[in-house]
Amino acid sequence: MNNSVVITDSRTQWMIAEDKLMSCMTRCRLYKECATRVGVDCKRLGGSEIPKIRN
């Protein structure tokens, strides 16, 4: 039997973007110097995107 579950995020785009920003603010010590702020997709937070850090 092949039961698959699809999880959808029905929130508005601004809520999704705000959650990404909050994960950066609360979990990354380089938040103030970061130019990308991609949230959980960041390499520092376990994702695959490499952040761009300002000097």
Side-chain angles (χ1 to χ4, degrees):
M1 199 167 184
N2 187 5
N3 292 333
S4 61
V5 176
V6 177
I7 299 172
T8 60
D9 194 355
S10 60
R11 298 177 297 162
T12 58
Q13 282 301 113
W14 71 268
M15 289 179 167
I16 296 169
E18 188 175 74
D19 282 348
K20 281 187 174 185
L21 185 65
M22 283 304 294
S23 65
C24 289
M25 286 175 68
T26 58
R27 297 171 53 197
C28 185
R29 64 180 179 86
L30 297 174
Y31 171 74
K32 290 183 180 180
E33 290 84 28
C34 185
T36 53
R37 297 181 181 166
V38 291
V40 293
D41 296 331
C42 180
K43 190 83 163 177
R44 293 185 51 83
L45 300 178
S48 60
E49 291 284 326
I50 298 173
K52 292 165 184 60
I53 306 299
R54 297 181 291 229
N55 291 336

